[in-house]
Amino acid sequence: MSTFRKEHDFLGEKDIPNEVYYGIQTLRALENFNITGIPISKEPLLIQAFGYVKKAAAMANKECGVLAPNIADAICQASDKLILGEYIDQFVTDMIQGGAGTSVNMNVNEVIANIGLELLGHKKGDYDYLHPNNHVNFSQSTNDAYPTAFRLALYIKIGIFIEALNKLQLAFAQKAEEFKDVLKMGRTQLQDAVPMTLGAEFHGFSTTIKEDILRLEEARLLICEINMGATAIGTSINAPEGYPEIVTKHLRDITGIPVVLAEDLIEATCDTGAYVQISGVLKRCAVKISKICNDLRLLSSGPRAGLNEINLPRLQPGSSIMPGKVNPVIPEVVNQTAYYVIGSDITITMAAEAGQLQLNVMEPVIAFSLFTSLAYITNACHTLTDKCIVGITANEEICKNMVMNSIGIVTSLNPILGYETVSSIAKEALLTGKSVHQITVQERGLIAQSKWDEVFSIENLLHPKFISN
Protein backbone atom coordinates (compact mmCIF):
# COMPACT_ATOMS: atom_id res chain seq x y z
CA MET A 1 0.00 0.00 0.00
CA SER A 2 1.39 3.40 -1.01
CA THR A 3 2.36 5.98 1.54
CA PHE A 4 2.36 9.66 0.69
CA ARG A 5 4.32 12.84 1.28
CA LYS A 6 2.83 16.30 1.10
CA GLU A 7 4.21 18.81 -1.34
CA HIS A 8 3.05 22.34 -2.02
CA ASP A 9 3.26 25.02 -4.67
CA PHE A 10 1.61 28.46 -4.74
CA LEU A 11 -1.69 26.85 -5.80
CA GLY A 12 -1.89 24.60 -2.74
CA GLU A 13 -0.91 21.16 -1.44
CA LYS A 14 -1.08 17.66 -2.91
CA ASP A 15 -0.31 14.16 -1.68
CA ILE A 16 2.54 12.60 -3.66
CA PRO A 17 3.16 8.82 -3.54
CA ASN A 18 6.41 8.27 -1.66
CA GLU A 19 7.76 5.83 -4.23
CA VAL A 20 7.83 8.38 -7.08
CA TYR A 21 10.65 10.84 -7.69
CA TYR A 22 8.58 13.52 -9.38
CA GLY A 23 6.70 16.12 -7.38
CA ILE A 24 3.65 18.34 -7.25
CA GLN A 25 4.11 20.23 -10.51
CA THR A 26 4.57 17.00 -12.44
CA LEU A 27 1.44 15.59 -10.80
CA ARG A 28 -0.54 18.66 -11.87
CA ALA A 29 0.68 18.18 -15.45
CA LEU A 30 -0.27 14.52 -15.31
CA GLU A 31 -3.79 15.54 -14.29
CA ASN A 32 -4.10 18.35 -16.85
CA PHE A 33 -2.55 17.04 -20.04
CA ASN A 34 -3.98 13.76 -21.30
CA ILE A 35 -3.52 14.43 -25.01
CA THR A 36 -1.35 11.92 -26.86
CA GLY A 37 -1.06 9.29 -24.15
CA ILE A 38 2.65 9.34 -24.95
CA PRO A 39 4.81 10.35 -21.96
CA ILE A 40 8.17 12.04 -22.44
CA SER A 41 9.79 8.81 -21.24
CA LYS A 42 9.08 7.49 -24.75
CA GLU A 43 11.73 9.94 -25.97
CA PRO A 44 14.71 8.82 -23.88
CA LEU A 45 17.08 11.02 -25.87
CA LEU A 46 15.16 14.07 -24.61
CA ILE A 47 15.57 12.91 -21.00
CA GLN A 48 19.26 12.25 -21.61
CA ALA A 49 19.59 15.72 -23.13
CA PHE A 50 17.94 17.28 -20.08
CA GLY A 51 20.46 15.42 -17.95
CA TYR A 52 23.23 17.12 -19.91
CA VAL A 53 21.57 20.53 -19.55
CA LYS A 54 21.07 20.26 -15.78
CA LYS A 55 24.59 18.93 -15.25
CA ALA A 56 26.16 21.72 -17.29
CA ALA A 57 24.07 24.30 -15.42
CA ALA A 58 25.15 22.94 -12.03
CA MET A 59 28.79 22.94 -13.12
CA ALA A 60 28.52 26.54 -14.37
CA ASN A 61 26.75 27.71 -11.22
CA LYS A 62 29.43 26.07 -9.10
CA GLU A 63 32.16 27.71 -11.19
CA CYS A 64 30.43 31.09 -10.84
CA GLY A 65 30.29 30.62 -7.07
CA VAL A 66 26.51 30.87 -6.78
CA LEU A 67 25.75 27.24 -5.89
CA ALA A 68 27.23 25.35 -2.96
CA PRO A 69 29.68 22.67 -4.15
CA ASN A 70 27.91 19.81 -2.37
CA ILE A 71 24.56 20.80 -3.90
CA ALA A 72 26.07 21.21 -7.36
CA ASP A 73 27.82 17.85 -7.08
CA ALA A 74 24.60 16.10 -6.04
CA ILE A 75 22.79 17.61 -9.03
CA CYS A 76 25.60 16.45 -11.32
CA GLN A 77 25.48 12.92 -9.92
CA ALA A 78 21.70 12.78 -10.27
CA SER A 79 21.93 14.16 -13.82
CA ASP A 80 24.45 11.46 -14.70
CA LYS A 81 21.86 8.86 -13.78
CA LEU A 82 19.43 10.42 -16.25
CA ILE A 83 22.13 10.47 -18.90
CA LEU A 84 22.64 6.73 -18.34
CA GLY A 85 18.91 6.09 -18.81
CA GLU A 86 18.03 5.44 -15.17
CA TYR A 87 14.70 6.55 -13.63
CA ILE A 88 13.17 6.76 -17.11
CA ASP A 89 9.76 5.69 -15.76
CA GLN A 90 9.60 8.84 -13.64
CA PHE A 91 9.11 11.06 -16.69
CA VAL A 92 5.37 10.96 -17.07
CA THR A 93 4.22 14.26 -18.57
CA ASP A 94 2.51 14.15 -21.98
CA MET A 95 4.56 15.05 -25.05
CA ILE A 96 2.02 17.74 -26.01
CA GLN A 97 1.16 20.21 -23.26
CA GLY A 98 0.47 23.83 -22.51
CA GLY A 99 3.05 26.02 -20.81
CA ALA A 100 5.84 25.99 -23.40
CA GLY A 101 7.44 22.90 -21.84
CA THR A 102 7.35 24.07 -18.22
CA SER A 103 5.85 20.75 -17.10
CA VAL A 104 8.68 18.81 -18.75
CA ASN A 105 11.31 21.07 -17.20
CA MET A 106 9.73 20.73 -13.76
CA ASN A 107 9.40 16.95 -14.15
CA VAL A 108 13.16 16.90 -14.71
CA ASN A 109 13.86 19.36 -11.89
CA GLU A 110 11.79 17.39 -9.39
CA VAL A 111 13.26 13.99 -10.32
CA ILE A 112 16.83 15.29 -10.14
CA ALA A 113 16.11 17.04 -6.85
CA ASN A 114 14.73 13.90 -5.21
CA ILE A 115 17.53 11.69 -6.53
CA GLY A 116 19.99 14.29 -5.23
CA LEU A 117 18.29 14.40 -1.85
CA GLU A 118 18.72 10.65 -1.44
CA LEU A 119 22.36 10.94 -2.48
CA LEU A 120 22.80 13.56 0.26
CA GLY A 121 21.10 11.32 2.85
CA HIS A 122 17.71 13.03 2.92
CA LYS A 123 14.19 11.94 2.13
CA LYS A 124 12.35 12.67 -1.08
CA GLY A 125 10.49 15.96 -0.73
CA ASP A 126 12.90 17.50 1.82
CA TYR A 127 13.42 20.45 -0.50
CA ASP A 128 15.00 22.64 2.18
CA TYR A 129 18.24 20.80 1.38
CA LEU A 130 17.94 20.56 -2.42
CA HIS A 131 15.11 22.37 -4.18
CA PRO A 132 13.80 21.76 -7.74
CA ASN A 133 13.55 25.49 -8.49
CA ASN A 134 16.09 27.10 -6.18
CA HIS A 135 18.91 24.66 -6.97
CA VAL A 136 18.28 22.35 -9.94
CA ASN A 137 16.75 25.18 -11.99
CA PHE A 138 19.23 27.80 -10.76
CA SER A 139 20.19 30.37 -13.46
CA GLN A 140 17.65 28.81 -15.81
CA SER A 141 14.14 29.11 -17.14
CA THR A 142 12.08 26.59 -19.06
CA ASN A 143 12.55 29.03 -21.93
CA ASP A 144 16.25 28.23 -22.27
CA ALA A 145 16.50 24.77 -20.69
CA TYR A 146 13.70 23.15 -22.73
CA PRO A 147 14.80 24.33 -26.21
CA THR A 148 18.42 23.53 -25.46
CA ALA A 149 17.58 19.97 -24.41
CA PHE A 150 15.27 19.67 -27.42
CA ARG A 151 18.08 20.74 -29.76
CA LEU A 152 20.58 18.32 -28.24
CA ALA A 153 18.16 15.41 -28.62
CA LEU A 154 17.25 16.54 -32.13
CA TYR A 155 20.93 16.69 -33.11
CA ILE A 156 21.40 13.08 -32.00
CA LYS A 157 18.18 11.91 -33.69
CA ILE A 158 19.14 13.51 -36.99
CA GLY A 159 22.47 11.71 -36.76
CA ILE A 160 20.62 8.39 -36.39
CA PHE A 161 18.50 9.24 -39.45
CA ILE A 162 21.62 10.10 -41.45
CA GLU A 163 23.02 6.66 -40.63
CA ALA A 164 19.85 5.05 -42.00
CA LEU A 165 20.09 7.17 -45.16
CA ASN A 166 23.73 6.20 -45.63
CA LYS A 167 22.73 2.55 -45.45
CA LEU A 168 19.95 3.10 -47.99
CA GLN A 169 22.25 5.05 -50.32
CA LEU A 170 24.84 2.27 -50.21
CA ALA A 171 22.19 -0.36 -51.02
CA PHE A 172 21.14 1.61 -54.12
CA ALA A 173 24.80 2.05 -55.14
CA GLN A 174 25.40 -1.69 -54.89
CA LYS A 175 22.34 -2.39 -57.05
CA ALA A 176 23.56 0.20 -59.54
CA GLU A 177 26.77 -1.78 -59.93
CA GLU A 178 24.89 -5.08 -60.13
CA PHE A 179 22.58 -3.78 -62.88
CA LYS A 180 25.13 -1.71 -64.81
CA ASP A 181 24.84 -3.84 -67.98
CA VAL A 182 21.06 -4.36 -67.91
CA LEU A 183 19.63 -2.51 -70.91
CA LYS A 184 16.16 -1.05 -70.46
CA MET A 185 13.85 1.65 -71.77
CA GLY A 186 13.87 5.05 -70.15
CA ARG A 187 10.50 6.76 -69.87
CA THR A 188 9.21 10.31 -69.59
CA GLN A 189 5.56 11.08 -68.81
CA LEU A 190 5.16 7.28 -68.62
CA GLN A 191 5.88 7.09 -72.34
CA ASP A 192 8.83 5.37 -74.03
CA ALA A 193 11.78 7.76 -74.25
CA VAL A 194 15.32 6.50 -74.96
CA PRO A 195 17.36 3.48 -73.87
CA MET A 196 19.32 3.52 -70.64
CA THR A 197 20.54 0.97 -68.12
CA LEU A 198 18.83 -0.24 -65.01
CA GLY A 199 22.13 0.44 -63.26
CA ALA A 200 21.96 4.11 -64.25
CA GLU A 201 18.42 4.30 -62.89
CA PHE A 202 19.49 2.88 -59.52
CA HIS A 203 22.57 5.09 -59.53
CA GLY A 204 20.18 8.03 -59.77
CA PHE A 205 18.38 6.77 -56.68
CA SER A 206 21.71 6.55 -54.87
CA THR A 207 22.69 10.06 -55.88
CA THR A 208 19.41 11.63 -54.78
CA ILE A 209 19.74 10.06 -51.31
CA LYS A 210 23.34 11.29 -51.09
CA GLU A 211 22.16 14.84 -51.83
CA ASP A 212 19.61 14.66 -49.02
CA ILE A 213 22.28 13.53 -46.57
CA LEU A 214 24.27 16.68 -47.39
CA ARG A 215 21.21 18.89 -46.90
CA LEU A 216 20.50 17.25 -43.53
CA GLU A 217 24.06 17.77 -42.36
CA GLU A 218 23.79 21.45 -43.29
CA ALA A 219 20.45 21.91 -41.52
CA ARG A 220 21.70 20.03 -38.47
CA LEU A 221 24.27 22.76 -37.83
CA LEU A 222 21.46 25.30 -37.31
CA ILE A 223 20.31 23.60 -34.12
CA CYS A 224 23.79 23.83 -32.60
CA GLU A 225 23.01 27.45 -31.73
CA ILE A 226 21.50 27.49 -28.21
CA ASN A 227 20.16 30.10 -25.81
CA MET A 228 21.34 28.69 -22.47
CA GLY A 229 21.65 31.57 -20.02
CA ALA A 230 18.87 33.52 -21.71
CA THR A 231 16.59 32.58 -18.79
CA ALA A 232 13.05 33.98 -19.16
CA ILE A 233 13.12 36.11 -22.32
CA GLY A 234 16.78 36.51 -23.24
CA THR A 235 17.86 39.16 -20.74
CA SER A 236 19.70 36.59 -18.55
CA ILE A 237 17.78 37.75 -15.49
CA ASN A 238 18.80 35.83 -12.31
CA ALA A 239 21.92 34.40 -13.99
CA PRO A 240 25.40 35.40 -12.77
CA GLU A 241 27.76 37.34 -15.01
CA GLY A 242 29.50 35.14 -17.56
CA TYR A 243 27.13 32.24 -16.94
CA PRO A 244 25.80 31.89 -20.53
CA GLU A 245 29.28 31.43 -21.98
CA ILE A 246 30.40 29.12 -19.17
CA VAL A 247 27.34 26.84 -19.30
CA THR A 248 27.63 26.60 -23.09
CA LYS A 249 31.27 25.55 -22.80
CA HIS A 250 30.41 22.87 -20.22
CA LEU A 251 27.58 21.61 -22.39
CA ARG A 252 29.87 21.39 -25.41
CA ASP A 253 32.50 19.53 -23.39
CA ILE A 254 30.21 16.93 -21.80
CA THR A 255 28.13 16.19 -24.92
CA GLY A 256 30.69 16.45 -27.72
CA ILE A 257 28.06 18.37 -29.69
CA PRO A 258 29.46 21.62 -31.20
CA VAL A 259 26.94 23.92 -29.51
CA VAL A 260 27.50 27.68 -29.64
CA LEU A 261 25.83 30.49 -27.74
CA ALA A 262 23.43 32.57 -29.83
CA GLU A 263 24.60 36.13 -30.44
CA ASP A 264 21.17 37.59 -29.65
CA LEU A 265 19.56 35.73 -26.76
CA ILE A 266 16.27 37.59 -27.02
CA GLU A 267 15.92 36.62 -30.69
CA ALA A 268 17.04 33.06 -29.98
CA THR A 269 14.44 32.63 -27.24
CA CYS A 270 11.47 33.45 -29.45
CA ASP A 271 12.67 32.20 -32.87
CA THR A 272 11.92 28.65 -34.03
CA GLY A 273 13.07 29.06 -37.62
CA ALA A 274 15.69 26.31 -37.32
CA TYR A 275 12.92 23.77 -36.68
CA VAL A 276 11.09 24.92 -39.80
CA GLN A 277 14.29 24.42 -41.78
CA ILE A 278 14.87 20.95 -40.34
CA SER A 279 11.26 20.00 -41.02
CA GLY A 280 11.55 21.25 -44.58
CA VAL A 281 14.59 19.10 -45.20
CA LEU A 282 12.82 16.10 -43.65
CA LYS A 283 9.88 16.74 -45.98
CA ARG A 284 12.28 16.92 -48.92
CA CYS A 285 13.75 13.55 -47.92
CA ALA A 286 10.30 12.02 -47.50
CA VAL A 287 9.09 13.31 -50.86
CA LYS A 288 12.12 11.98 -52.72
CA ILE A 289 12.13 8.59 -51.01
CA SER A 290 8.40 8.29 -51.70
CA LYS A 291 9.00 9.10 -55.38
CA ILE A 292 11.59 6.32 -55.55
CA CYS A 293 9.04 3.94 -54.01
CA ASN A 294 6.53 4.97 -56.68
CA ASP A 295 9.14 4.04 -59.30
CA LEU A 296 9.83 0.69 -57.67
CA ARG A 297 6.12 -0.15 -57.67
CA LEU A 298 5.84 0.75 -61.35
CA LEU A 299 8.99 -1.11 -62.39
CA SER A 300 7.81 -4.25 -60.59
CA SER A 301 4.19 -4.02 -61.76
CA GLY A 302 2.57 -7.07 -63.30
CA PRO A 303 4.06 -9.58 -63.38
CA ARG A 304 2.32 -10.46 -66.67
CA ALA A 305 0.31 -7.30 -67.37
CA GLY A 306 2.74 -4.65 -66.15
CA LEU A 307 6.33 -3.50 -66.71
CA ASN A 308 7.88 -6.40 -64.78
CA GLU A 309 11.41 -5.06 -65.23
CA ILE A 310 12.42 -5.84 -61.66
CA ASN A 311 11.33 -8.27 -58.96
CA LEU A 312 10.79 -7.06 -55.42
CA PRO A 313 11.22 -9.57 -52.59
CA ARG A 314 8.05 -11.62 -52.13
CA LEU A 315 7.18 -11.08 -48.47
CA GLN A 316 3.52 -12.01 -47.98
CA PRO A 317 0.36 -12.98 -49.87
CA GLY A 318 -1.22 -9.90 -51.38
CA SER A 319 -4.92 -10.69 -51.33
CA SER A 320 -7.57 -12.43 -49.29
CA ILE A 321 -9.40 -13.39 -52.50
CA MET A 322 -6.87 -13.45 -55.39
CA PRO A 323 -4.50 -16.42 -55.10
CA GLY A 324 -0.93 -15.85 -56.16
CA LYS A 325 -1.04 -12.07 -55.88
CA VAL A 326 1.95 -10.47 -54.14
CA ASN A 327 1.89 -6.74 -53.40
CA PRO A 328 4.79 -4.24 -53.18
CA VAL A 329 4.08 -3.81 -49.47
CA ILE A 330 7.39 -2.26 -48.47
CA PRO A 331 7.29 0.64 -50.95
CA GLU A 332 3.64 1.09 -49.99
CA VAL A 333 4.37 1.42 -46.27
CA VAL A 334 7.25 3.81 -46.97
CA ASN A 335 4.92 5.93 -49.13
CA GLN A 336 2.51 6.19 -46.21
CA THR A 337 5.28 7.10 -43.79
CA ALA A 338 6.32 9.87 -46.15
CA TYR A 339 2.79 11.26 -46.14
CA TYR A 340 2.91 11.43 -42.34
CA VAL A 341 6.20 13.38 -42.42
CA ILE A 342 4.79 15.77 -45.03
CA GLY A 343 1.72 16.36 -42.86
CA SER A 344 3.85 16.98 -39.77
CA ASP A 345 5.69 19.70 -41.66
CA ILE A 346 2.42 21.66 -41.79
CA THR A 347 2.02 21.28 -38.02
CA ILE A 348 5.56 22.51 -37.41
CA THR A 349 5.11 25.42 -39.79
CA MET A 350 1.92 26.58 -38.09
CA ALA A 351 3.37 26.12 -34.61
CA ALA A 352 6.47 28.14 -35.49
CA GLU A 353 4.31 30.91 -36.93
CA ALA A 354 2.15 30.98 -33.78
CA GLY A 355 4.91 32.38 -31.58
CA GLN A 356 4.02 35.68 -29.90
CA LEU A 357 6.35 38.38 -28.66
CA GLN A 358 9.27 37.00 -26.60
CA LEU A 359 8.40 33.28 -26.65
CA ASN A 360 6.94 30.57 -28.83
CA VAL A 361 4.76 28.51 -26.49
CA MET A 362 4.04 25.91 -29.18
CA GLU A 363 7.45 24.27 -28.98
CA PRO A 364 6.14 21.03 -27.39
CA VAL A 365 4.12 20.15 -30.51
CA ILE A 366 7.12 21.06 -32.67
CA ALA A 367 9.25 18.68 -30.61
CA PHE A 368 6.64 15.93 -30.74
CA SER A 369 6.24 16.30 -34.51
CA LEU A 370 9.96 16.34 -35.30
CA PHE A 371 10.78 13.46 -32.98
CA THR A 372 7.94 11.36 -34.38
CA SER A 373 8.74 12.16 -38.00
CA LEU A 374 12.40 11.34 -37.49
CA ALA A 375 11.59 8.05 -35.76
CA TYR A 376 9.12 6.99 -38.45
CA ILE A 377 11.22 7.95 -41.47
CA THR A 378 14.32 6.35 -39.91
CA ASN A 379 12.41 3.08 -39.40
CA ALA A 380 11.04 3.34 -42.93
CA CYS A 381 14.53 3.69 -44.41
CA HIS A 382 15.78 0.61 -42.55
CA THR A 383 12.70 -1.34 -43.67
CA LEU A 384 13.11 -0.22 -47.29
CA THR A 385 16.78 -1.17 -47.31
CA ASP A 386 16.59 -4.50 -45.49
CA LYS A 387 13.29 -5.87 -46.80
CA CYS A 388 13.25 -4.48 -50.32
CA ILE A 389 16.31 -2.90 -51.95
CA VAL A 390 18.90 -5.54 -51.12
CA GLY A 391 16.64 -8.29 -52.50
CA ILE A 392 15.68 -6.70 -55.83
CA THR A 393 16.51 -8.69 -58.96
CA ALA A 394 16.32 -7.69 -62.63
CA ASN A 395 14.36 -9.31 -65.45
CA GLU A 396 17.10 -8.68 -67.97
CA GLU A 397 15.49 -10.25 -71.05
CA ILE A 398 12.20 -8.45 -70.49
CA CYS A 399 14.04 -5.14 -70.17
CA LYS A 400 16.03 -5.78 -73.37
CA ASN A 401 13.00 -6.88 -75.39
CA MET A 402 11.11 -3.78 -74.39
CA VAL A 403 13.94 -1.66 -75.77
CA MET A 404 14.22 -3.47 -79.09
CA ASN A 405 10.44 -3.48 -79.62
CA SER A 406 10.00 0.11 -78.56
CA ILE A 407 9.24 3.02 -80.85
CA GLY A 408 11.38 5.15 -78.55
CA ILE A 409 14.56 3.81 -80.12
CA VAL A 410 13.92 5.99 -83.20
CA THR A 411 15.58 8.88 -81.33
CA SER A 412 18.94 7.17 -81.91
CA LEU A 413 18.35 7.57 -85.68
CA ASN A 414 18.01 11.37 -85.55
CA PRO A 415 21.67 12.12 -86.38
CA ILE A 416 21.50 9.75 -89.40
CA LEU A 417 18.07 10.37 -90.93
CA GLY A 418 16.97 13.69 -89.45
CA TYR A 419 14.04 14.48 -87.18
CA GLU A 420 11.33 14.68 -89.89
CA THR A 421 12.13 11.30 -91.44
CA VAL A 422 12.46 9.65 -88.04
CA SER A 423 9.14 11.19 -86.97
CA SER A 424 7.42 9.61 -89.97
CA ILE A 425 8.93 6.23 -89.07
CA ALA A 426 7.61 6.56 -85.53
CA LYS A 427 4.15 7.54 -86.76
CA GLU A 428 3.96 4.58 -89.14
CA ALA A 429 5.11 2.20 -86.44
CA LEU A 430 2.45 3.49 -84.07
CA LEU A 431 -0.32 3.20 -86.66
CA THR A 432 0.61 -0.17 -88.11
CA GLY A 433 2.17 -2.01 -85.22
CA LYS A 434 5.28 -2.69 -87.32
CA SER A 435 8.73 -2.57 -85.76
CA VAL A 436 11.07 0.37 -86.35
CA HIS A 437 13.58 -2.07 -87.83
CA GLN A 438 11.03 -3.45 -90.30
CA ILE A 439 10.08 0.00 -91.60
CA THR A 440 13.57 1.52 -91.65
CA VAL A 441 15.70 -1.33 -92.99
CA GLN A 442 13.45 -3.85 -94.64
CA GLU A 443 10.71 -1.75 -96.24
CA ARG A 444 12.18 1.71 -96.85
CA GLY A 445 15.86 0.78 -97.06
CA LEU A 446 16.80 4.04 -95.31
CA ILE A 447 19.91 2.55 -93.70
CA ALA A 448 21.85 -0.67 -94.20
CA GLN A 449 21.64 -3.53 -91.78
CA SER A 450 25.28 -2.94 -90.83
CA LYS A 451 24.52 0.65 -89.80
CA TRP A 452 21.48 -0.53 -87.84
CA ASP A 453 23.64 -3.08 -86.06
CA GLU A 454 26.16 -0.35 -85.18
CA VAL A 455 23.56 2.08 -83.84
CA PHE A 456 21.66 -0.54 -81.85
CA SER A 457 24.54 -2.63 -80.60
CA ILE A 458 24.35 -3.37 -76.89
CA GLU A 459 27.64 -1.55 -76.39
CA ASN A 460 26.36 1.66 -78.02
CA LEU A 461 23.03 1.52 -76.22
CA LEU A 462 24.76 1.01 -72.88
CA HIS A 463 27.30 3.74 -73.59
CA PRO A 464 25.75 6.07 -76.20
CA LYS A 465 27.99 7.88 -78.67
CA PHE A 466 27.22 10.10 -81.66
CA ILE A 467 26.78 8.06 -84.85
CA SER A 468 26.05 9.65 -88.24
CA ASN A 469 26.34 8.70 -91.92
Side-chain angles (χ1 to χ4, degrees):
M1 185 174 179
S2 292
T3 57
F4 296 86
R5 64 181 187 270
K6 283 195 179 295
E7 291 194 16
H8 70 275
D9 56 18
F10 74 90
L11 293 179
E13 286 188 343
K14 275 190 174 293
D15 291 329
I16 311 296
N18 264 328
E19 65 269 19
V20 303
Y21 284 80
Y22 56 79
I24 186 170
Q25 292 202 43
T26 302
L27 186 59
R28 291 194 189 280
L30 196 57
E31 293 169 347
N32 292 334
F33 307 125
N34 184 18
I35 306 301
T36 66
I38 302 173
I40 57 173
S41 60
K42 296 299 183 181
E43 289 293 344
L45 287 177
L46 180 61
I47 309 306
Q48 181 186 54
F50 260 109
Y52 287 132
V53 167
K54 298 301 178 179
K55 180 176 182 178
M59 293 169 70
N61 284 320
K62 179 180 177 181
E63 186 173 334
C64 291
V66 295
L67 193 61
N70 67 317
I71 298 295
D73 291 345
I75 293 171
C76 287
Q77 291 175 49
S79 298
D80 282 337
K81 293 182 182 297
L82 268 58
I83 292 167
L84 292 173
E86 299 178 29
Y87 298 93
I88 194 69
D89 61 330
Q90 298 300 305
F91 297 95
V92 295
T93 55
D94 198 281
M95 283 295 297
I96 298 180
Q97 58 195 252
T102 296
S103 296
V104 174
N105 187 39
M106 285 309 303
N107 194 166
V108 173
N109 289 334
E110 289 171 346
V111 171
I112 288 177
N114 282 309
I115 296 171
L117 283 168
E118 290 186 339
L119 291 171
L120 292 170
H122 302 290
K123 295 179 180 179
K124 291 192 287 288
D126 285 349
Y127 295 139
D128 288 342
Y129 301 99
L130 202 169
H131 195 280
N133 299 82
N134 295 340
H135 299 126
V136 183
N137 202 60
F138 200 97
S139 303
Q140 302 154 66
S141 162
T142 294
N143 303 346
D144 59 353
Y146 183 94
T148 298
F150 174 22
R151 287 175 179 239
L152 294 176
L154 193 55
Y155 185 93
I156 297 169
K157 264 192 172 299
I158 292 171
I160 294 169
F161 178 42
I162 288 173
E163 290 176 4
L165 283 177
N166 277 320
K167 181 180 171 184
L168 179 60
Q169 184 268 325
L170 178 61
F172 279 128
Q174 290 171 338
K175 286 297 168 181
E177 176 64 22
E178 181 181 339
F179 300 149
K180 66 181 180 180
D181 294 329
V182 177
L183 183 66
K184 63 159 284 175
M185 202 67 201
R187 299 175 181 86
T188 57
Q189 286 114 320
L190 295 178
Q191 305 298 304
D192 298 349
V194 295
M196 65 182 298
T197 66
L198 188 60
E201 192 164 30
F202 273 75
H203 190 274
F205 297 156
S206 172
T207 299
T208 203
I209 299 298
K210 189 182 298 184
E211 289 177 352
D212 282 346
I213 292 170
L214 294 175
R215 300 294 82 78
L216 269 171
E217 289 173 341
E218 292 166 358
R220 191 187 189 197
L221 293 176
L222 295 176
I223 56 172
C224 290
E225 184 181 271
I226 62 172
N227 71 330
M228 276 300 286
T231 65
I233 64 169
T235 62
S236 298
I237 188 172
N238 292 350
E241 185 177 353
Y243 169 84
E245 293 79 12
I246 294 170
V247 71
T248 301
K249 179 184 181 302
H250 283 303
L251 202 52
R252 186 167 53 244
D253 291 343
I254 64 179
T255 64
I257 296 173
V259 292
V260 295
L261 185 64
E263 291 184 10
D264 186 331
L265 292 179
I266 289 179
E267 184 276 337
T269 303
C270 65
D271 177 48
T272 53
Y275 307 136
V276 177
Q277 182 82 356
I278 290 289
S279 180
V281 176
L282 281 182
K283 181 176 74 171
R284 169 190 164 129
C285 292
V287 167
K288 292 169 69 176
I289 292 170
S290 188
K291 188 271 180 188
I292 290 171
C293 287
N294 295 341
D295 290 351
L296 295 176
R297 290 193 291 122
L298 278 171
L299 293 173
S300 64
S301 61
R304 298 290 176 85
L307 297 183
N308 195 29
E309 292 186 352
I310 62 173
N311 305 301
L312 304 184
R314 296 165 64 86
L315 298 179
Q316 61 187 62
S319 173
S320 61
I321 189 173
M322 294 173 280
K325 187 171 183 283
V326 178
N327 296 329
V329 292
I330 300 303
E332 288 172 353
V333 76
V334 175
N335 283 135
Q336 293 171 75
T337 306
Y339 307 153
Y340 181 91
V341 174
I342 293 165
S344 290
D345 180 63
I346 298 297
T347 299
I348 292 160
T349 300
M350 294 179 68
E353 183 273 340
Q356 297 167 321
L357 304 178
Q358 279 67 61
L359 183 66
N360 190 321
V361 302
M362 308 300 176
E363 202 157 316
V365 77
I366 294 176
F368 177 72
S369 298
L370 279 174
F371 285 158
T372 306
S373 288
L374 276 164
Y376 288 1
I377 196 69
T378 298
N379 291 340
C381 284
H382 284 302
T383 299
L384 182 60
T385 302
D386 297 338
K387 293 187 176 295
C388 183
I389 307 305
V390 297
I392 290 175
T393 57
N395 293 322
E396 191 167 348
E397 284 302 311
I398 290 174
C399 290
K400 179 182 174 182
N401 290 337
M402 282 190 182
V403 172
M404 302 316 296
N405 292 320
S406 170
I407 294 170
I409 62 173
V410 296
T411 303
S412 298
L413 298 174
N414 277 346
I416 302 171
L417 300 177
Y419 182 87
E420 295 297 334
T421 300
V422 170
S423 181
S424 71
I425 296 170
K427 182 177 180 180
E428 183 178 347
L430 281 169
L431 292 174
T432 65
K434 296 177 182 178
S435 71
V436 173
H437 177 269
Q438 182 181 351
I439 297 167
T440 305
V441 178
Q442 296 175 352
E443 295 183 0
R444 295 197 193 180
L446 295 174
I447 63 172
Q449 182 65 45
S450 59
K451 178 63 70 174
W452 175 276
D453 291 341
E454 180 185 3
V455 172
F456 295 105
S457 66
I458 296 297
E459 179 182 1
N460 187 54
L461 290 174
L462 289 174
H463 310 287
K465 57 182 179 290
F466 183 79
I467 297 176
S468 64
N469 281 324

